[in-house]
Amino acid sequence: MLAPEIESRPWAEQTALDDAAYREQIAYLFARSAFYRQKLGEAGIGSAAEAGPIAQIARLPLTEKQELRASVTPGNPIGSHLCATRDEIVRIYSTSGTTGTPSYIPLTAGDLDNWVTGSARSYAASGVEAGQRIVSTYNAGPFVAGAALASFDRIGLCHIPVGTGNTERLVRVIELLEPEAAVLTPSYAAHLVEWTAERGFDLRGSSVRRVLVAGEPGGGEPAFRAKLEDGWGAKVTEAMGIGDIGVSLWGECEAQDGMHLGARGFVFPELIDPESGAAIALADGASGELVLTHLRQRAAPLLRFRTRDHVQIAMSECSCGRTGPRVRCIGRTDDMLIVRGVNVFPSAVREVVGTFAPKVSGNILVRPAVPGVKQEPPLPVSVELAQGVAVDAALAEAIRDRLRSVLVFQTRVELVPWGTLQRSEYKSKLVER
Ligand SMILES: [Zn+2]
């Protein structure tokens, strides 16, 4: 652990410290944030005292990304949640804009330092250590992931940035510079396994012993993880953040049983029912949408921000000694479909299909018959076969039956030959829209 006294602190103690930071953060919002003065005022909360302790945070309204966008004006391109003056801001990131127009995320020097500190704890949880080499594959320059790369310096790693889009160069780096770790999206990690196999490069025999995946769900799906670990001959752990709140807030340890909150003390996690918005207690096994609150942010702090990540919580003790909640991302609320009342995450479909390896490649594509979230069964799903496996009606039927028994909805499974579905050097598209 980078900070054992912090990372193994009893969670109740952490919550007590968080409560003090939270009260200060709320007072700061009333003093500096036009957005939250108005929003909290409309909810009948006129002062920090009225907001109460962190234990009562669920009384406060949730914040949606759309509200922040709506507060942007020509005079204030960041939005009315901007709290800092121009000279206090040391960096401004853009979000990648996958869900709309880009938005800007300003940071003070303190904010940036907290981001890097939390991210470093998350990545160090994977077991990478000072003195080791790590190759990174993100074209992160303008995006918040850039701050995650700074956390490699903080850990004391030798960072070899290669970027996306040149697999040849990446493999050459692995071969010649012998990094102990590689950081990439799970999709790209899977693509590398195929790419190297086709060219006879022995990825399993390479120097890479740890593969750190982030950027999309997948690294925590048992079948998908097993495939990556087998292909790389390496341990696969995942990390997760959300641009508006912070990078790699969560990171998995070597026990591979969910991601620890590396950003503890900077961010407070909650769970809600994505439809009603009602709070769900952070209990072992609970699942829902992750909601995050900044505790020490200064430039543009957010309160009860809806991440749209659907997660499952583990509260049991972890063998590594870190305390507090662990999460596993089940999928993005934005990717969710509702098939006759049942919530369906494409990543969950992939996880079930993945259990049919080595007959399947692990690539799937959900193909909704009509636009929108609500779908009628059976939901069409294309499942790609492994190399050299022929289309087989009995296999399609077995996949369909297992999807029905595990996820409780009907599908129409179409088997497609190996190589049919698109590979990605960044993030995979699991739903055809
Ligand atoms: Zn652990």
Side-chain angles (χ1 to χ4, degrees), residues 253 255 260 318 320:
C253 72
H260 291 284
C318 186
C320 73

Side-chain angles (χ1 to χ4, degrees), residues 86-394:
R86 201 179 170 99
D87 62 333
E88 289 173 303
I89 294 169
V90 300
R91 184 145 331 158
I92 302 174
Y93 282 114
S94 319
T95 58
S96 53
T98 45
T99 55
T101 48
S103 52
Y104 300 111
I105 298 158
L107 299 171
T108 65
D111 294 342
L112 184 58
D113 188 65
N114 291 345
W115 274 33
V116 174
T117 302
S119 179
R121 285 185 210 146
S122 295
Y123 276 116
S126 72
V128 290
E129 288 173 3
Q132 295 181 338
R133 291 182 174 181
I134 188 165
V135 60
S136 74
T137 64
Y138 299 140
N139 288 344
F143 304 124
V144 290
L149 302 184
S151 74
F152 300 151
D153 303 342
R154 182 70 65 88
I155 296 170
L157 294 164
C158 164
H159 179 201
I160 310 168
V162 167
T164 303
N166 195 334
T167 303
E168 193 95 45
R169 187 166 60 191
L170 171 61
V171 171
R172 196 65 56 222
V173 159
I174 291 174
E175 192 177 27
L176 297 176
L177 301 181
E178 301 186 325
E180 283 89 352
V183 56
L184 61 188
T185 61
S187 292
Y188 195 26
H191 178 61
L192 253 295
V193 170
E194 289 180 357
W195 194 95
T196 49
E198 281 165 16
R199 287 158 184 83
F201 178 82
D202 181 16
L203 192 59
R204 282 186 62 87
S206 81
S207 59
V208 176
R209 286 291 158 265
R210 295 179 198 283
V211 174
L212 317 184
V213 295
E216 60 179 359
E221 293 169 25
F224 194 72
R225 170 154 31 208
K227 185 181 140 182
L228 294 183
E229 293 200 324
D230 183 51
W232 282 80
K235 193 145 202 160
V236 172
T237 51
E238 58 174 349
M240 177 174 84
I242 178 94
D244 303 83
I245 299 287
V247 281
S248 14
L249 299 165
W250 306 83
E252 204 174 31
C253 72
E254 293 176 286
Q256 296 176 308
D257 189 25
M259 294 175 266
H260 291 284
L261 182 57
R264 60 193 285 158
F266 305 127
V267 162
F268 183 76
E270 291 177 85
L271 217 54
I272 60 161
D273 176 327
E275 267 147 69
S276 68
I280 297 171
L282 278 194
D284 205 42
S287 74
E289 182 180 331
L290 187 62
V291 165
L292 297 172
T293 294
H294 279 132
L295 294 173
R296 297 171 191 277
Q297 198 83 355
R298 289 296 175 258
L302 297 176
L303 176 65
R304 305 199 77 214
F305 182 72
R306 295 190 63 161
T307 65
R308 312 202 68 80
D309 283 320
H310 199 95
V311 301
Q312 184 154 31
I313 300 285
M315 291 300 287
S316 58
E317 244 172 69
C318 186
S319 55
C320 73
R322 290 176 181 82
T323 53
R326 303 192 293 287
V327 300
R328 212 193 116 198
C329 186
I330 299 166
R332 297 275 302 159
T333 307
D334 301 332
D335 284 343
M336 193 183 81
L337 298 169
I338 302 174
V339 182
R340 204 174 276 164
V342 177
N343 295 350
V344 174
F345 291 97
S347 44
V349 173
R350 179 173 66 185
E351 183 169 349
V352 172
V353 169
T355 61
F356 285 86
K359 288 182 177 163
V360 299
S361 74
N363 295 315
I364 64 144
L365 186 62
V366 176
R367 303 186 130 131
V370 294
V373 172
K374 293 211 162 100
Q375 302 291 321
E376 280 301 308
L379 183 70
V381 179
S382 293
V383 172
E384 191 182 276
L385 292 162
Q387 200 165 15
V389 175
V391 172
D392 165 5

